[in-house]
């Protein structure tokens, strides 16, 4: 599920406050009310205080009190241009949830007013204005637009103000935005910078929130030790404030950690605690996130009735269901819950809805891939045209230069014939050398261009092949797999209702064959694009591949040493395809009883060894009639700038050794991308 809103935008974005928001907000409101009744308070200070109280009640989702203090502050600030700008900021906050158009207009008016002031505190306010405008873009699923506004507007203004706390606040927002577009490494970078910056300030409210999001992001990166580090630090920070609403985010991260450890009951308890602690204007969105995580755990422990109840609550939320990915998740989970409850008609209904929505989303992705490929092709053609025109221009310039030189020599020859002869001979020799050098240079450039085009073509073919594998696997699993699952549900339901019919035994045989078909379909889909590779990395995917090939007559032994999980996914896919091809060849052609697969990494070098005790083959006889499998293997190794050795002889098995330089592979991919 996407993080619907950047929760940080309401953390006193309007006023140059005297103190930061405390971890227990009611104390903050009490201090502001005490300031209002203090003798001798000026009108401008009253206006600022009332606007701060309006901001506080906006955060508590009490619109009646918020509008009361906003109107009082507006009347007191009417003659002060600076406070009029601050009033517009508070108005933008007030309408942020209920009316995005009015919120945008108020924030824009506030920045226009405050742009006339050259003061550090005003730069801080304007920085937060742009962060809020960016958050409005993020509400429309435009995370990239959010990132651009924060980097180009909000952060430069905060730096101009010298406000490190505000910069840290912006880094947290960037981290959440990168989480939303699945760039979790970048998210970790900005969240770590935010925590380091906020630790040195006096804003524990934002620091606690940063810990929560950092823990959630590290959970997605599967760095459980870092998750525990973030939770321990936040537990100490929040301990004196048991009523703090930031406990909602804390329990969310804690529940995700329990889920990763398969402690589902503990995870459910943590998610329920988080739901109970959620408060403020973002309460509904925090509860949505927590419910999605809770449902996942309820289904894992077969508590289908409770899962159905929470999913129905999510389905009633119009804003939640306005996002395609959230709607797909609800449909899929409802199908699973109803199936667990034995309500097959409802399960089939939601399975059908999820399949239709998934097909629609896949079609949009496919069209986008086609457009991207066409754009890359047009760019390559334009570059080739530019290179050709530049070469023609250079050749024309060289010809013109030679022509002028030749004319000058002929003019001099009219006066000094002997000198003309000497110069003519020198010119001829130089011209011949230049022409020869030009030809050599041209051939070298042509060779380099051909090599570059071949690399681009190879990269496009491999990338297209992987996308097509992924698309076909996804279509098989989600499309045909969903249809077979629906047939199975209907058939099971019919057998249950007509258990005494004589043909029931035959239908059970059909149901068994249908199960076999579903399993075979899943095997094909996993073989085309293994989910374990995308979710858990190369080592887990290879272990799963070896276990898949294990049978009573064949043992595949997998040994791994120091494989770095941070290898780029594109390189992991290429390595996986090589090993998949080698194991497939050994299983189909070698007649082996035992296969050994060793994968190890030493710095930037990656080593692969596959040995089998099969029938082997004569290398000299195979060179003229290599199969497609071996050709594909050599092509992938060559593409990744690797080296491969094959040792085999008849009846003595086969050994294949591959060495890859990950640095060169990565640099090549970056050059081609």
């Amino acid at each position: 599920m996407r993080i619907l809103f950047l929760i940080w935008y309401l953390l006193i974005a309007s006023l140059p406050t005297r103190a930061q928001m405390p971890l227990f907000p009611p104390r903050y409101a009490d201090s502001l009310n005490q300031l209002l009744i203090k003798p001798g308070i000026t009108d401008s200070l009253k206006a600022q205080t009332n606007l701060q109280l309006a901001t506080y009640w906006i955060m508590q989702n009490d619109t009646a009190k918020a509008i009361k203090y906003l109107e009082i502050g507006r009347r007191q600030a009417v003659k002060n241009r600076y406070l009029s700008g601050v009033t517009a900021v508070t108005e933008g906050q007030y309408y942020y949830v209920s009316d995005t158009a009015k919120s945008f207009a108020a924030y824009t008016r506030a920045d226009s007013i405050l742009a006339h002031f050259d003061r550090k505190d005003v730069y801080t306010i304007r920085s937060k204005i742009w962060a809020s405008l960016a958050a409005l873009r993020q509400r429309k699923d435009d995370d990239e637009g959010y990132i651009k506004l924060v980097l180009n507007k909000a952060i430069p203004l905060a730096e101009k103000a010298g406000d490190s706390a505000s910069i840290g606040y912006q880094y947290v927002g960037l981290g959440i935005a990168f989480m939303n577009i699945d760039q979790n490494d970048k998210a970790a970078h900005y969240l770590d910078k935010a925590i380091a910056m906020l630790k040195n300030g006096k804003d524990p409210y934002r620091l606690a929130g940063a810990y929560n999001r950092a823990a959630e992001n590290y959970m997605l990166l599967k760095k459980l030790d870092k998750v525990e580090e973030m939770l321990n630090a936040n537990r100490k920070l929040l301990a004196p404030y048991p009523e703090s609403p930031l406990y909602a985010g804390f329990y969310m991260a804690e529940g995700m950690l329990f889920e990763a450890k398969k402690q589902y009951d503990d995870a459910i308890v943590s998610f329920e605690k988080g739901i109970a602690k959620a408060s403020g204007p973002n309460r509904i969105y925090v509860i949505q996130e927590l419910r999605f995580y809770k449902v996942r755990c309820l289904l894992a422990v077969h508590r289908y009735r409770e899962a159905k109840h929470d999913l129905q609550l999510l389905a009633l939320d119009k804003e939640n269901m306005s996002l395609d990915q959230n709607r797909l998740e609800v449909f899929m989970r409802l199908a699973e819950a109803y199936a667990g409850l034995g309500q097959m008609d409802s399960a089939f209904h939601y399975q059908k809805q999820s399949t239709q929505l998934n097909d629609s989303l896949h079609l949009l992705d496919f069209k986008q891939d086609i457009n991207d490929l066409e754009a890359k092709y047009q760019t390559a053609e334009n570059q080739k045209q530019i290179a050709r025109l530049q070469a023609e221009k250079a050749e024309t310039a060289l010809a013109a230069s030679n022509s002028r030189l030749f004319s000058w020599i002929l003019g001099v020859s009219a006066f000094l014939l002997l000198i003309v002869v000497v110069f003519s001979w020198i010119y001829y020799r130089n011209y011949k050398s230049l022409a020869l050098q030009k030809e050599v240079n041209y051939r070298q450039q042509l060779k380099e261009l051909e090599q570059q085009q071949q690399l681009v073509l190879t990269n496009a073919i491999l990338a297209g092949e992987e996308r097509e594998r992924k698309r076909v696997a996804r279509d098989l699993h989600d499309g045909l797999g969903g249809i077979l699952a629906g047939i199975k549900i209907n058939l099971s339901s019919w057998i249950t209702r007509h258990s005494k019919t004589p043909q029931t035994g035959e239908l059970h045989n059909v149901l068994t064959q249908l199960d076999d078909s579903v399993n075979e379909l899943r095997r094909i889909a996993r073989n085309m694009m293994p989910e374990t590779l995308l979710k858990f990395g190369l080592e887990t995917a290879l272990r799963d591949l070896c276990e898949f090939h294990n049978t009573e007559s064949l043992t595949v032994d997998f040994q791994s040493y120091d494989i770095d999980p941070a290898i780029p996914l594109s390189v992991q896919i290429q390595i996986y395809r090589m090993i998949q091809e080698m194991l497939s060849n050994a299983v189909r052609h070698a007649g082996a009883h035992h296969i050994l697969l060793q994968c190890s990494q030493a710095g930037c070098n990656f080593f692969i060894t596959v040995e089998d005790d099969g029938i082997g083959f004569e290398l000299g006889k195979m060179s003229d009639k290599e199969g497609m499998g071996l050709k594909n293997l050599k092509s992938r190794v060559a593409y990744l700038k690797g080296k491969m050795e094959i040792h085999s002889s008849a009846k003595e098995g086969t050994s294949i050794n591959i060495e890859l330089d990950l640095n060169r592979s990565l640099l090549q991919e970056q050059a081609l991308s």
Side-chain angles (χ1 to χ4, degrees):
M1 172 185 174
R2 297 184 81 258
I3 301 170
L4 285 175
F5 291 91
L6 297 169
I7 296 175
W8 307 95
Y9 86 98
L10 280 172
L11 299 183
I12 318 179
S14 62
L15 302 176
T17 54
R18 295 171 177 265
Q20 299 294 340
M21 180 66 73
L23 286 170
F24 186 52
R27 297 180 186 173
Y28 175 76
D30 291 341
S31 66
L32 292 177
N33 284 316
Q34 290 297 319
L35 182 60
L36 280 176
I37 62 176
K38 187 177 180 180
I41 184 173
T42 63
D43 289 340
S44 62
L45 186 54
K46 284 182 181 179
Q48 291 187 56
T49 306
N50 279 306
L51 293 174
Q52 287 173 315
L53 280 167
T55 297
Y56 169 78
W57 288 114
I58 292 170
M59 294 177 65
Q60 302 307 309
N61 210 26
D62 190 332
T63 56
K65 290 184 179 179
I67 194 65
K68 167 190 169 184
Y69 286 108
L70 174 58
E71 291 301 328
I72 295 173
R74 190 198 308 277
R75 289 195 299 270
Q76 294 170 337
V78 68
K79 296 181 180 180
N80 187 309
R81 186 175 179 80
Y82 163 73
L83 291 178
S84 295
V86 174
T87 302
V89 175
T90 311
E91 185 179 342
Q93 291 179 322
Y94 177 78
Y95 287 114
Y96 182 89
V97 174
S98 60
D99 192 329
T100 55
K102 288 184 178 180
S103 178
F104 178 85
Y107 279 129
T108 304
R109 186 171 71 255
D111 188 67
S112 176
I113 295 171
L114 295 174
H116 295 86
F117 294 89
D118 186 15
R119 292 175 7 207
K120 288 187 175 182
D121 61 327
V122 176
Y123 291 140
T124 296
I125 299 173
R126 291 184 64 204
S127 170
K128 295 173 184 177
I129 289 173
W130 280 102
S132 298
L133 289 170
L136 289 171
R137 297 285 294 272
Q138 198 266 355
R139 284 188 65 182
K140 299 178 180 179
D141 287 353
D142 186 5
D143 291 290
E144 292 184 3
Y146 169 84
I147 291 170
K148 289 179 181 178
L149 284 181
V150 170
L151 289 175
N152 297 327
K153 290 288 189 178
I155 289 180
L157 284 167
E159 290 174 343
K160 199 171 182 179
D163 187 350
S164 60
S166 185
I167 296 172
Y169 148 75
Q170 309 298 353
Y171 283 153
V172 173
L174 286 173
I176 297 173
F178 279 115
M179 287 171 66
N180 272 341
I181 57 177
D182 297 326
Q183 296 188 25
N184 299 100
D185 288 326
K186 286 187 177 180
H189 169 74
Y190 282 108
L191 289 169
D192 286 344
K193 287 181 69 173
I195 289 171
M197 195 164 285
L198 293 171
K199 274 183 179 180
N200 298 325
K202 298 179 180 179
D203 194 348
Y205 196 89
R206 291 177 185 165
L207 178 58
Y211 277 134
N212 284 340
R213 285 305 181 189
E216 183 180 349
N217 187 60
Y218 279 123
M219 191 70 247
L220 296 173
L221 288 169
K222 298 180 178 59
K223 295 183 179 181
L224 302 189
D225 55 336
K226 294 292 291 184
V227 176
E228 291 182 350
E229 179 185 330
M230 297 296 105
L231 288 174
N232 290 334
N234 211 11
R235 187 179 288 109
K236 293 179 182 178
L237 187 63
L238 292 171
Y241 310 96
E243 300 302 320
S244 174
L246 287 172
Y247 266 108
F250 173 83
Y251 286 126
M252 182 187 299
E254 183 183 64
M256 293 173 70
L257 181 60
F258 281 134
E259 181 185 5
K261 295 179 177 180
K262 300 189 183 306
Q263 299 174 12
Y264 297 115
D265 290 330
D266 292 334
I268 292 169
V269 171
S270 292
F271 293 141
E272 288 175 343
K273 287 181 179 178
I275 291 172
K277 288 292 185 181
S279 64
N282 293 291
R283 175 178 178 273
I284 185 64
Y285 310 112
V286 175
I287 290 175
Q288 285 174 5
E289 277 194 272
L290 287 161
R291 279 212 172 105
F292 269 108
Y293 291 130
K294 178 186 172 186
V295 163
R296 204 161 58 189
C297 294
L298 287 170
L299 292 174
V301 293
H302 309 304
R303 291 162 63 175
Y304 298 114
R305 195 169 302 280
E306 297 174 58
K308 184 189 77 171
H309 174 264
D310 279 7
L311 285 167
Q312 287 173 336
L313 291 176
L314 289 167
L316 291 173
D317 190 311
K318 293 182 180 179
E319 188 158 10
N320 174 62
M321 298 297 282
S322 67
L323 296 177
D324 291 336
Q325 290 298 331
N326 290 359
R327 194 161 66 254
L328 178 61
E329 180 80 7
V330 169
F331 290 160
M332 291 175 63
R333 299 300 183 188
L334 276 171
E336 186 176 351
Y338 277 116
L341 291 170
Q343 299 176 21
M344 298 306 177
D345 291 341
S346 296
F348 176 71
H349 169 73
Y350 284 108
Q351 179 69 35
K352 182 179 179 181
Q353 282 194 307
S354 67
T355 300
Q356 291 173 344
L357 178 58
N358 200 35
D359 289 344
S360 176
L361 294 177
H362 291 168
L363 180 60
L364 291 175
D365 291 341
F366 177 73
K367 289 181 178 178
Q368 183 62 41
D369 289 342
I370 291 296
N371 291 336
D372 292 344
L373 187 60
E374 183 179 4
K376 287 184 178 180
Y377 172 77
Q378 291 297 335
T379 300
E381 287 297 311
N382 291 338
Q383 290 176 344
K384 287 168 60 178
Q385 180 70 14
I386 291 171
R388 184 164 59 252
L389 291 174
Q390 288 177 339
E392 291 175 356
K393 181 180 178 181
E395 187 175 355
T396 302
L398 180 62
S401 176
N402 289 338
S403 178
R404 287 193 299 270
L405 178 62
F406 186 71
S407 298
W408 181 80
I409 292 174
L410 287 178
V412 174
S413 67
F415 299 97
L416 300 169
L417 182 58
L418 182 60
I419 297 176
V420 169
V421 173
V422 173
F423 272 94
S424 297
W425 178 77
I426 294 173
Y427 167 78
Y428 173 76
R429 186 181 64 179
N430 290 342
Y431 183 82
K432 184 177 180 180
S433 175
L434 181 63
L436 182 61
Q437 184 62 41
K438 177 183 175 183
E439 183 179 359
V440 171
N441 291 341
Y442 177 76
R443 289 180 178 177
Q444 181 64 29
Q445 291 173 0
L446 184 61
K447 183 178 179 181
E448 291 176 356
L449 183 60
E450 289 176 350
Q451 291 175 344
Q452 184 67 18
Q453 290 298 321
Q454 185 62 36
L455 286 174
V456 171
L457 179 60
T458 302
N459 181 55
I461 291 172
L462 292 176
E465 179 183 292
E466 290 303 328
R467 281 198 300 270
E468 186 64 14
R469 281 175 177 265
K470 186 174 182 181
R471 184 190 68 78
V472 173
R474 187 169 54 197
D475 288 349
L476 285 174
H477 184 276
D478 296 338
L480 184 55
I483 293 171
L484 290 177
I487 294 171
K488 178 185 174 183
I489 290 172
N490 285 336
L491 187 56
S492 298
S493 179
W494 192 92
I495 292 173
T496 301
R497 293 195 305 269
H498 303 82
S499 59
K500 297 180 180 181
T501 303
Q503 291 84 3
T504 302
E506 296 178 5
L507 289 176
H508 276 294
N509 292 334
V510 174
L511 190 60
T512 301
Q513 292 174 350
L514 189 58
D515 279 333
D516 294 339
S517 299
V518 172
N519 291 334
E520 178 65 13
L521 179 64
R522 289 175 177 168
R523 182 191 70 78
I524 294 171
R526 181 178 64 180
N527 191 48
M528 296 192 74
M529 180 50 65
E531 288 295 322
T532 50
L533 177 63
L534 302 177
K535 292 182 178 179
F536 305 107
L538 179 61
E539 185 171 353
T540 303
L542 291 177
R543 194 173 305 280
D544 185 55
L545 178 64
C546 293
E547 290 177 359
F548 167 74
H549 283 295
N550 275 326
T551 63
E552 293 182 359
S553 60
L554 174 63
T555 301
V556 182
D557 183 12
F558 174 55
Q559 300 175 2
S560 62
Y561 307 96
D562 300 326
I563 296 179
D564 185 0
I567 297 174
L569 179 59
S570 58
V571 178
Q572 291 188 39
I573 291 175
Q574 295 296 336
I575 294 173
Y576 181 87
R577 293 300 182 204
M578 293 180 198
I579 295 173
Q580 187 180 38
E581 187 66 49
M582 289 188 285
L583 290 181
S584 176
N585 287 340
V587 171
R588 287 186 297 173
H589 306 304
H593 298 291
H594 184 269
I595 300 174
L596 172 64
L597 168 61
Q598 289 183 335
C599 294
S600 60
Q601 185 175 349
C604 296
N605 295 320
F606 195 95
F607 303 94
I608 306 171
T609 298
V610 177
E611 297 179 357
D612 66 66
D613 59 355
I615 61 175
F617 59 89
E618 295 293 340
L619 291 174
K621 295 180 180 180
M622 287 295 295
S623 59
D624 297 330
K625 51 180 181 178
E626 292 179 349
M628 285 300 296
L630 189 56
K631 288 181 180 178
N632 286 340
L633 179 60
K634 288 184 176 181
S635 175
R636 290 182 187 275
V637 172
Y639 173 70
L640 291 180
K641 301 296 183 181
K643 296 183 291 185
M644 180 174 72
E645 295 180 355
I646 303 177
H647 303 283
S648 182
S649 58
K651 299 181 180 181
E652 293 188 7
T654 303
S655 173
I656 302 177
N657 297 308
I658 296 175
E659 178 181 349
L660 304 174
D661 186 340
L662 299 184
N663 266 350
R664 294 180 65 190
S665 301
L666 184 58
L667 288 174
Q668 176 172 292
E669 289 219 348
Q670 290 175 345
L672 294 175
S673 62

